Amino acid sequence: MAHGTARRRLDYELAIRPMTEADISQAHQLSVGVSWPHRPEDWRFVLEVGHGFVACDAIDRALASAMWWPYGPHFATVGMVITSPRLQMQGAGRRLMDTIFEQAGDRDLRLNATRAGYRLYRSLDFQPIGRIFQHQGRVQAPAGAAPDEFTVRPVTAADGDAIAQLDADAYGADRSRVMAALMKLATGTVIERDGALVGFALCRRFGRGHVVGPVVAESDEAAIALVRPHVLAHDGQFLRVDTAQEQGKFGGFLEDCGMTVFDTVTTMIRGRNHGPSGQARTFGLVTQALG
C-alpha cells in the first residue's frame, strides 16, 4: 500500500515544462548519466534549432528530457529523450512524448531509437525502418591517393543556399534553419558539376572530438571524396560519422580510416516516411537526433 502511495505522489509532482537555456547544465548532466558524449555546447545547438521539454520534480530539478525539430509543416524529428529507468516506470517518457505529439500536430515523425527507448516508441506506434551505424575512433589517413574523378573544394558562405536545397532534396524535408546554424560552426567540402553543387560534407566540434555530417552525395565514391579531406585534417584525432549505409564502399572507407562501428540505433517513423527527391542521398547525419 505504501509503495502505491509513493508512486501516485511521484506522478502528481512530476511537471512537464518547456526547456530553456537555463536548463542546459541539468540537461547535460542527464546525458552524462546515460553515457552520451554531448557537451553543453551540443545541447545549446540543438535547443537553438528546435524545441525541448523537461520533466521536473517539486523543486524544479530536471529529471527527464525530450526534444523535437520541425522541418516544415509536414515533418519533424524527435530526439534527446532521456529518462531514468525509474521514471520510465512512472510514465515520464510517455508524458514527454505526448507533449511533443501535441506540439507537432499532424506532422510525420522520425527518430533514432536506442535500445533503452525502443519499447516505448513501439508502444507509441513508431515503426522500425532501418538502422544507423555510429562509426567513430581516432582516425588515420586513408591508404592510396584521392581519386581524380571529383574536384573537391572548401565550402564558402556563398554556398549556404545551395547546400540547404541539396540537403532538402536528399533528406526529404526542409532543414534550412538547421543548415544555416551549422554553416556558422562548421568547415566543409563541396563537389560541383557544371557549376551546380552536387555534394557536400560539413565537419564541426561535437562530443569527444569532431563529427562529419551531414554528408550528401550521389554515390559512395563521391561521399568518400567529400569526407577524405576531413579525415586528413584530423589525422590522429577523434572523429565520428553516423550513417545509414550498412553495406558498401562508404562504410568500408570509414572502417579503414579507424572509425569502427561503436553502436547502432533503430530508425523509426510515425506516419509517412520522407525520402530523397533527387539523385543525392544522405550518407552522414547531422546528429542521431536531428537526422
Side-chain angles (χ1 to χ4, degrees):
M1 184 71 173
H3 176 74
T5 302
R7 173 172 294 187
R8 286 194 297 273
R9 184 165 61 247
L10 178 60
D11 280 341
Y12 177 77
E13 291 178 353
L14 203 62
I16 308 294
R17 64 166 176 77
M19 184 185 296
T20 70
E21 180 92 7
D23 295 313
I24 287 175
S25 177
Q26 289 193 80
H28 177 239
Q29 290 305 311
L30 287 175
S31 57
V32 169
V34 293
S35 300
W36 290 5
H38 300 69
R39 306 167 301 150
E41 294 88 346
D42 300 323
W43 274 97
R44 192 167 288 109
F45 173 76
V46 294
L47 182 58
E48 175 190 344
V49 296
H51 310 284
F53 297 94
V54 287
C56 299
D57 63 10
I59 58 173
D60 206 36
R61 290 180 300 183
L63 303 179
S65 67
M67 299 188 72
W68 73 287
W69 298 269
Y71 299 147
H74 305 298
F75 182 74
T77 62
V78 178
M80 307 305 286
V81 181
I82 305 175
T83 59
S84 70
R86 177 165 159 265
L87 283 179
Q88 284 177 355
M89 292 179 64
Q90 304 299 335
R94 182 174 291 270
R95 287 180 58 188
L96 283 163
M97 292 298 295
D98 284 344
T99 302
I100 288 175
F101 294 157
E102 292 172 11
Q103 294 278 316
D106 294 331
R107 288 178 175 87
D108 301 313
L109 301 177
R110 184 189 301 168
L111 55 78
N112 288 305
T114 62
R115 291 170 183 83
Y118 182 84
R119 186 175 177 181
L120 169 65
Y121 302 133
R122 286 290 284 128
S123 74
L124 295 170
D125 296 327
F126 282 89
Q127 305 298 320
I129 59 169
R131 290 195 296 174
I132 299 297
F133 298 82
Q134 182 179 328
H135 287 260
Q136 65 183 47
R138 293 199 175 276
V139 294
Q140 56 197 17
D148 57 10
E149 61 182 301
F150 302 104
T151 301
V152 179
R153 66 163 174 82
V155 71
T156 70
D159 296 318
D161 289 346
I163 283 176
Q165 184 60 58
L166 187 59
D167 177 76
D169 292 343
Y171 189 75
D174 178 12
R175 303 195 294 179
S176 53
R177 182 180 180 186
V178 171
M179 301 311 295
L182 281 175
M183 289 289 285
K184 298 175 184 177
L185 302 175
T187 59
T189 48
V190 299
I191 293 175
E192 288 180 309
R193 185 175 61 239
D194 300 328
L197 197 125
V198 295
F200 71 90
L202 300 181
C203 181
R204 71 189 189 283
R205 283 288 311 276
F206 176 83
R208 295 172 57 188
H210 286 74
V211 63
V212 185
V215 179
V216 171
E218 293 180 339
S219 66
D220 283 62
E221 291 81 6
I224 290 168
L226 287 161
V227 172
R228 185 186 181 95
H230 299 293
V231 173
L232 294 174
H234 296 93
D235 191 11
Q237 301 176 40
F238 186 90
L239 202 59
R240 171 174 170 171
V241 176
D242 293 279
T243 181
Q245 307 302 315
E246 183 169 1
Q247 305 290 337
K249 295 180 180 179
F250 185 66
F253 167 79
L254 298 178
E255 295 268 355
D256 291 344
C257 293
M259 285 181 276
T260 56
V261 176
F262 174 77
D263 198 7
T264 62
V265 293
T266 303
T267 302
M268 307 182 77
I269 58 166
R270 189 176 193 259
R272 184 175 66 89
N273 192 26
H274 293 236
S277 58
Q279 286 185 300
R281 291 177 287 152
T282 300
F283 280 81
L285 277 59
V286 180
T287 64
Q288 291 181 7
L290 291 166

